[in-house]
Structure formats: C-alpha cells, structure tokens
Amino acid sequence: MPASKTHITSILQSFSTYLEMRQVSDAVAEDAVLFFVEYLRKKPSLTSWKPEDVVTFAKKSSGSVHDKKHAITLVTQFVTNFPPHQANVLLHQYLLALKHDGCSEATIRNYRS
C-alpha cells in the first residue's frame, strides 16, 4: 500500500478513535467520517490542516451528510486538537487498544496526557 494511502488510513483510524472516545452515536459518527473523508479528498496535502480550513470547506461542500453541523463541529475539534503527524495517529491507535483491553477512562486520560 502506498505511503499516502497508509497515512490516510491511519488518520481515519485516529479519527474513529476520537469519535469512539467522545461516545458519539453511530449515526453522528457516520456523518462525521463521511464529512472528514470528503474534506481529506479535497486537500492537496495532508501535512497540515487548520480549523478554519474545515469551516471554509464546509461552506463550499454539498455532501450527503445528514447532520452536517455536528459533523463539522467534530471534525473541527479533531483538526484543532490533533495535527496530522504520524506519532499522534499512533497514540490514538494505542489509546483505542487500551479501551478495547478494558482500561478505565481515567487510565486512558492519563496515558493521553
């Protein structure tokens, strides 16, 4: 798999971890992922992103997201808090593994900080 596809996959896994930790409903998560994928497809480079880019993209976008407002909010928060660096993606994969292993939310919070 080319590096760019691997990186996109890692970013989406990280975003999924973020949504799971936020405990959003399946419908909201699906809308957020669809919006985020649409946003990533339109970006010429995945080396950086800014919250204002998401807002600008949302204004121009006519995607098929049901709850666009909630999806935009979640993607904007993710983009604000998590730059697209591989180390950050790996951290989120690790945090998701901890959650699946049954670690408490406090333990996961402590590892993240």
Side-chain angles (χ1 to χ4, degrees):
M1 184 181 292
S4 62
K5 286 185 180 180
T6 302
H7 187 61
I8 289 172
T9 300
S10 296
I11 290 170
L12 291 175
Q13 286 175 340
S14 180
F15 186 59
S16 293
T17 303
Y18 171 77
L19 295 174
E20 190 170 321
M21 295 183 100
R22 296 284 313 266
Q23 298 179 341
V24 300
S25 71
D26 289 344
V28 170
E30 184 178 336
D31 283 343
V33 169
L34 288 173
F35 178 76
F36 194 43
V37 167
E38 187 179 343
Y39 168 72
L40 292 175
R41 282 185 179 157
K42 301 291 182 180
K43 281 194 67 57
S45 170
L46 296 178
T47 58
S48 68
W49 51 42
K50 300 178 209 163
E52 51 271 12
D53 293 344
V54 175
V55 174
T56 301
F57 172 76
K59 290 177 183 175
K60 297 176 183 176
S61 171
S62 61
S64 60
V65 174
H66 296 99
D67 186 356
K68 194 171 182 178
K69 183 177 180 185
H70 205 151
I72 293 166
T73 300
L74 288 167
V75 172
T76 301
Q77 289 169 349
F78 179 78
V79 165
T80 300
N81 295 317
F82 305 104
H85 304 297
Q86 197 65 23
N88 230 4
V89 172
L90 294 174
L91 172 64
H92 280 280
Q93 290 174 337
Y94 178 69
L95 294 174
L96 182 59
L98 289 175
K99 185 170 185 163
H100 284 292
D101 286 347
C103 288
S104 72
E105 291 297 322
T107 299
I108 294 170
R109 253 192 324 274
N110 289 336
Y111 274 114
R112 184 179 19 206
S113 67

